[in-house]
Amino acid sequence: MKKLEEKISQAISLEELEKIRIEVFGKKGILASKFAMLKDVPPSEKRAFAQGLNNKKSHLQRVYDEVYNRLKSEEIEKLLKSEAIDVSLYSNLETKGALHPVIETMDRIIDYFIALNFSVEDGPKIEDDFHNFEALNLPKNHPARDMQDTFFCRDGGVLRTHTSPVQIRTMLAQKPPIRMIAPGAVFRKDYDLTHTPMFHQVEGLVVQKKGEVNFANLKSILSDFLHYMFGDVEVRFRPSFFPFTEPSAEVDISCIFCKGNGCRVCSHTGWLEVLGCGIVDPNVFDAVNYKDVSGYAFGLGVERFAMLLHKIPDLRMLFEGDIRLLEQFR
Ligand code: PHE
């Protein structure tokens, strides 16, 4: 028995220990053969014999468990050492990734409005007629629906043509005041130098008690925002039309390429159109059952901002995944 105990104690690996285990504790092992001898022991001694054997067995089992636990933790220790990652080591800079310019631009826009206490809201990309059109004062058969070349789904849904439906969803889910932006992908049937069928917008909506917000507030926040994005530019508001705002405006900045002198990018006008905005139309508040409130809203195309900020000549380049373009943003 002392010998067996020594044998177990001296195992130097789990494999060796396992062999010993089978040899000692196995069905045809040493202990089993000792127990088999029980039948030849005279009846008066059977009890003492069996008891002695059982004691020995549990002692060996304890020794075995001890050795097993020690070898097991040694093995884990070794594994942890061999798999450890040296986090102080520099990775290969050649393979460093980068944010896509559209995402990077969107993040910059979001940061600005978060700092002004706007919440960031989200909505589904497959919308229904109510949220994408109807509630935004775009009744069925209204000619203004043609402003947006819509992708329709077979079940009557639409791919949202703008982020404005998130205005509706947010107002239906929350009580005023509202101070939100909604960034995300939108879809229109369009494909040329300045249009892709999927692009991104950031929507903004502020709703407060009636009389608490006006066009001057809208003008001030958007001018400040555009200076934050484009630096020292001139900003001008031009009367325009959107069904969900009244009055509505489009916002231009002086061309950042020619400083307003006229070039190809600004079609020799000296101005670049960058935003749509306006005072929320009362019909929109009716659709969401908001009473005694006033508000302003705005929407912008993220790709347009990214193109201007990074001097990218063709919008489609942003989605071709050409590594030579993307590598420039590392
Ligand atoms: N939803 C408009 C568009 O996609 C942009 C906009 C949003 C205009 C909010 C005014 C107010 O063209």
Side-chain angles (χ1 to χ4, degrees), residues 163-184:
T163 40
S164 302
V166 187
Q167 287 189 29
I168 302 299
R169 288 189 179 273
T170 307
M171 286 193 282
L172 285 173
Q174 298 174 25
K175 288 204 185 81
I178 300 280
R179 197 174 172 80
M180 58 150 270
I181 54 167

Side-chain angles (χ1 to χ4, degrees), residues 301-313:
V302 181
E303 280 75 5
R304 174 118 176 104
F305 275 60
M307 280 174 80
L308 293 174
L309 288 169
H310 296 297
K311 301 190 166 60
I312 299 166

Side-chain angles (χ1 to χ4, degrees), residues 148 161-162 164 167 188 201 203 242 244-245 276-278 297-299:
Q148 309 186 342
T161 55
H162 49 182
S164 302
Q167 287 189 29
R188 290 184 200 178
Q201 290 189 331
E203 188 84 11
F242 297 102
F244 28 89
T245 47
C277 66
F298 54 88

